[in-house]
Amino acid sequence: MKLARAVDGKAVLRWPGGLQIRLGNLYAGFFLIVAAVALAALSLGMGSIKAGLGDLAAALGAAPLDPDTAYALWDVRLPRILTGFLAGWLVAMAASMLQSLTRNPLADPGLLGLSQGSMIMIMLLLIYAPTASKALIPLAALGGGLGVALALLILVGRERSNGLAILLMGIAIETVLSSIASLLILYTPSETSYALSSWLAGSLFQASWTGIAALAPWFLLSLPVAFLAGHALGPYELGEEMALALGEPIGRSRPIVLVLAVLLGAAAVTAVGPLMFLGVLAPQLVGFLSPALARARLFLAGLMGGVLVIAADGLTRAVAGEIAMPLGLSLTLVGVPLFILSLRLRALKLFRTH
């Protein structure tokens, strides 16, 4: 490993195998990890029961805790924090993959209809087979997302498709599926309709260690996926013609990347419901924090997604009243001001350079 300079003059760390990473991206990753840990520690102390990081350290040291404190830490707060981080990581990474694939900063699993496909299948299962095993819910989500991905590939054509065609067809499918979801909510019993509406707004209410165990394999899978898919997505960010010129087999790699994005997004939807705006927010905030491409962009987007969801959940519990604030709303309240600020600062930077 040695310190070198990239073509644009930026400092990079290079390994013997040709792998390299910009120092700016490395610093950004370290900053996001510290931010995630700090927000998790802060969120751990939020709630009606006084319990926090000190109590967790005492419990890890085998010190006894009273039942209320133990319940607040182990059964409520820690599962919410970990589930939120994992779900945010998966959604943001899936969105970053789709944005590189379509070369559009607004592409995310929700905009392309992938999240809606997962949602519809879960809703159909809960409405028409309420006594079915909960183990079928992740399978339903994966089936719905993969069905939409297959429809996209069939409608736009595997070889002739391009990023814009996938995006436009995805918007059309998303519109149809969102209308179907509204009809399902409208014509279901009131109790089921209320439960579905709460889930569709995003929620960590059902976070548990069982759910974390279900999400953890997808998180572990996302690590090699980011490493391998990032290599393929690098040429896409230069344009499809350039990708072909560089030897990227887009007829094969595009469906594979699309399916991988579906798998990651569907896993998150199963756990917390759809987090629509997160897929747009996280990669764009990463672009402002430290411009990155390919693998680095995927990893940084995942970290940013996890940080945003932890912060949003902290806000949800900080202002908790008789009716809990939906996670999607608190995510918007946390992320949109940062998004607007980053856009304004980026515009000022461009204005000064010109």
Side-chain angles (χ1 to χ4, degrees), residues 37 113 117 231 354:
V37 172
H231 176 72
H354 290 81

Side-chain angles (χ1 to χ4, degrees), residues 238-254:
L238 302 174
E240 293 191 6
E241 292 79 8
M242 184 61 70
L244 286 169
L246 292 172
E248 178 62 34
I250 62 175
R252 291 198 304 270
S253 62
R254 178 183 286 123

Side-chain angles (χ1 to χ4, degrees), residues 196-233:
L196 289 174
S197 298
S198 300
W199 176 72
L200 288 173
S203 174
L204 287 170
F205 178 74
Q206 294 184 345
S208 65
W209 291 106
T210 303
I212 293 170
L215 274 181
W218 296 106
F219 171 75
L220 296 176
L221 175 65
S222 72
L223 301 179
V225 162
F227 191 81
L228 297 174
H231 176 72
L233 290 173

Side-chain angles (χ1 to χ4, degrees), residues 154-342:
I154 292 174
L155 291 172
V156 302
R158 176 175 158 178
E159 299 293 340
R160 302 181 303 278
S161 64
N162 56 54
L164 181 59
I166 291 176
L167 182 66
L168 294 176
M169 190 61 69
I171 292 173
I173 292 176
E174 183 272 336
T175 302
V176 173
L177 293 180
S178 294
S179 299
I180 294 174
S182 299
L183 284 173
L184 288 174
I185 292 176
L186 184 62
Y187 291 104
T188 54
S190 56
E191 292 183 1
T192 305
S193 177
Y194 179 77
L196 289 174
S197 298
S198 300
W199 176 72
L200 288 173
S203 174
L204 287 170
F205 178 74
Q206 294 184 345
S208 65
W209 291 106
T210 303
I212 293 170
L215 274 181
W218 296 106
F219 171 75
L220 296 176
L221 175 65
S222 72
L223 301 179
V225 162
F227 191 81
L228 297 174
H231 176 72
L233 290 173
Y236 277 97
E237 293 172 352
L238 302 174
E240 293 191 6
E241 292 79 8
M242 184 61 70
L244 286 169
L246 292 172
E248 178 62 34
I250 62 175
R252 291 198 304 270
S253 62
R254 178 183 286 123
I256 292 173
V257 171
L258 186 59
V259 168
L260 290 173
V262 168
L263 295 177
L264 300 183
V269 168
T270 302
V272 301
L275 301 176
M276 295 300 185
F277 200 46
L278 178 63
V280 176
L281 276 174
Q284 301 311 310
L285 290 176
V286 162
F288 171 74
L289 180 64
S290 177
L293 298 173
R295 298 183 180 104
R297 186 170 187 264
L298 295 181
F299 281 111
L300 290 177
L303 286 171
M304 180 64 78
V307 167
L308 288 174
V309 176
I310 292 175
D313 181 53
L315 177 63
T316 298
R317 289 189 286 120
V319 298
E322 294 183 1
I323 300 178
M325 182 187 296
L327 181 63
L329 176 58
S330 57
L331 187 60
T332 301
L333 294 175
V334 168
V336 169
L338 294 175
F339 186 60
I340 294 173
L341 179 62
S342 68

